[in-house]
Amino acid sequence: MYIGRQIVVLMALAALAGGGYTLYQDHVNRAADTGGGRSPSRPRTTTVETALAETRTLVERVEAVGTTRALQSVDIVPLAEGRLVELNIEPGAEVGEGAVLARLDSEIEESTLEEAEALLTERDSRLARSNTLMRSNASTVSTATLEQVRSERAVAAAAVNRARRRFEDRTVRAPFSGVLGIRRVDLGARVDTSTVLATLDDLSKVEIEFSLPETVYGQIHEGQRVAATSAAFADRTFTGTVVAVDSRVDSASRAFRVRARVPNADRALPVGMFMRLDLELADRQGIVVPEEALAVEGGEPFVFVVVDGKADRRPVETGLRRNGLIEIVDGIAAGDEVVTRGIQSVRDGAGVTVLKTVGPQTSPQSKAPALPATEQAATETPQAAGPLTDTGGATTAPTRGRSRS
């Protein structure tokens, strides 16, 4: 019996607590509807910050990674075998075309050349005497004899050329102007035609080879501008152009190869360096707003536009997204005033009080990256405050935004 009374008391207390909570909630809701005790005749407003939708130049870009390669690159190897008696290879040194890089011992070849030249001189004298006798109609020289002398002289000349070539092959020269790599042999070493003495790279310009997906094949062409960056030069951008587009798409990776050429007058870029590339595909005019103006509810993006002091909810279609700005493809027009701050408290059709209105170009989160002078001149338009770029790929970026509860 005692336990039964306790249960009854507990149930009564729970009922009282539930009733009290219901009365409290009803009071809170009435206070909210009347503006916290204010006169219900005054409409509720929300203080917000807004921004004006702007027309800008939208630049579609595609990113890639690649590796640098020299404009010309060879392994320096001798054309003969022998012992190195001279070695003029200093790592990192620039040499001109035809510069002597190494010499092999050449005593035998030099003697062979002297012997061949002496024989040629004797054949020249013999041919000259035969021609003189032939002109004087001397019976001692026949036409057949003269032809034989001429043939012997030609053989001697060929021997000289052969001996001279073998002698010249004992000297290793630079085939073009470039920068020498680390030497791989020492003076006095015996080498043959397969021994690599060093590397020679023409670094006046470097080529960057990279791959792109087949989806952008028709948008890549020779002469297209390329901006390349490297972790080794964080504050520097190397600008070049596309010089070659492969005619085949790899069937496994569904990508094709592209080569871009970048000036390298100061020889800053070596061969084999990893580079990040940014290619401009196309540009067009579009409407942009700050990213914070976009909200998402139920997977559908929307913005609030201030019209006659009230918030008008507009479903929108988004496009490119970059540096705190987002493109609005459909749903608003240039010059529309969209809510950027206080959007969580705004309701469709409710009154708003605008605290401050800014344009996307003045938002601290929406500064576009600085462009080279030539690129900026090419992309500026009278109504555009600056280029909005997309480096996430060749296709439109997916819609993102804050969710509303």
Side-chain angles (χ1 to χ4, degrees):
M1 180 66 69
Y2 177 75
I3 295 176
R5 285 199 299 271
Q6 285 185 333
I7 293 174
V8 171
V9 171
L10 289 175
M11 292 177 64
L13 291 175
L16 289 174
Y21 180 76
T22 301
L23 290 175
Y24 173 76
Q25 288 289 96
D26 184 60
H27 173 72
V28 170
N29 292 335
R30 285 199 305 271
D33 292 338
T34 59
R38 293 174 296 182
S39 173
S41 60
R42 295 184 60 186
R44 180 190 177 195
T45 62
T46 303
T47 302
V48 297
E49 293 184 9
T50 61
L52 298 178
E54 283 191 354
T55 299
R56 285 199 179 188
T57 300
L58 309 179
V59 183
E60 293 187 21
R61 298 179 181 271
V62 62
E63 288 184 340
V65 294
T67 304
T68 58
R69 59 191 306 272
L71 191 61
Q72 299 181 85
S73 181
V74 295
D75 290 334
I76 302 299
V77 296
L79 298 177
E81 62 177 30
R83 183 175 55 86
L84 287 171
V85 296
E86 182 180 341
L87 193 59
N88 303 318
I89 297 176
E90 293 297 331
E94 291 196 33
V95 296
E97 181 179 355
V100 175
L101 303 180
R103 295 184 191 274
L104 306 180
D105 56 308
S106 57
E107 291 84 356
I108 296 177
E109 287 73 19
E110 186 175 2
S111 299
T112 302
L113 176 59
E114 291 176 354
E115 180 182 356
E117 288 176 341
L119 181 60
L120 178 59
T121 300
E122 191 272 331
R123 291 291 188 266
D124 284 338
S125 299
R126 185 176 176 184
L127 179 59
R129 289 195 301 271
S130 298
N131 286 330
T132 301
L133 292 174
M134 192 69 176
R135 285 194 296 269
S136 64
N137 296 323
S139 59
T140 56
V141 178
S142 63
T143 303
T145 302
L146 182 60
E147 291 298 328
Q148 182 180 357
V149 172
R150 288 175 178 172
S151 178
E152 291 174 351
R153 193 270 173 193
V155 172
V160 169
N161 292 335
R162 186 165 54 251
R164 182 176 291 113
R165 176 58 184 273
R166 288 175 178 171
F167 175 72
E168 291 174 351
D169 285 349
R170 312 299 288 181
T171 301
V172 181
R173 299 181 182 273
F176 53 81
S177 299
V179 178
L180 291 169
I182 296 177
R183 67 183 185 185
R184 305 183 186 181
V185 294
D186 294 319
L187 187 66
R190 185 168 184 82
V191 298
D192 56 31
T193 56
S194 63
T195 303
V196 177
L197 307 184
T199 57
L200 179 65
D201 299 317
D202 181 359
L203 296 178
S204 58
K205 296 179 181 179
V206 296
E207 291 184 346
I208 306 175
E209 185 169 301
F210 54 98
S211 296
L212 292 175
E214 63 178 358
T215 53
V216 298
Y217 187 84
Q219 303 178 66
I220 306 298
H221 55 82
E222 293 185 14
Q224 204 163 4
R225 183 181 296 275
V226 174
T229 57
S230 171
F233 305 96
D235 57 346
R236 183 173 178 182
T237 299
F238 300 87
T239 303
T241 56
V242 173
V243 295
V245 180
D246 200 356
S247 60
R248 295 184 177 184
V249 176
D250 186 82
S251 59
S253 63
R254 293 302 174 189
F256 61 98
R257 293 187 304 166
V258 183
R259 284 184 183 176
R261 187 169 296 172
V262 177
N264 191 35
D266 59 354
R267 309 300 190 267
L269 295 177
V271 175
M273 177 170 283
F274 179 82
M275 304 290 289
R276 293 182 174 87
L277 298 100
D278 189 7
L279 285 79
E280 179 180 323
L281 299 180
D283 59 74
R284 66 179 189 279
Q285 295 297 308
I287 298 172
V288 298
V289 297
E291 272 190 327
E292 55 263 33
L294 184 70
V296 178
E297 186 174 40
E300 298 295 329
F302 65 91
V303 298
F304 282 111
V305 179
V306 177
V307 180
D308 297 331
K310 295 184 177 180
D312 181 18
R313 174 169 167 164
R314 302 270 185 89
V316 295
E317 180 183 347
T318 61
L320 303 182
R321 186 189 299 262
R322 179 70 170 172
N323 295 319
L325 296 179
I326 187 167
E327 176 191 9
I328 304 299
V329 178
D330 186 33
I332 63 173
D336 283 350
E337 188 177 3
V338 298
V339 177
T340 57
R341 300 286 178 87
I343 191 172
Q344 294 87 351
S345 302
V346 177
R347 298 294 181 269
D348 187 23
V352 294
T353 301
V354 178
L355 181 63
K356 182 172 62 173
T357 301
V358 298
Q361 76 277 10
T362 62
S363 174
Q365 298 179 352
S366 62
K367 294 182 180 178
L371 295 176
T374 54
E375 185 172 354
Q376 189 172 14
T379 58
E380 279 188 341
T381 58
Q383 68 270 44
L388 175 66
T389 60
D390 174 33
T391 59
T395 57
T396 302
T399 300
R400 294 187 289 111
R402 63 172 62 85
S403 298
R404 296 198 58 199
S405 57

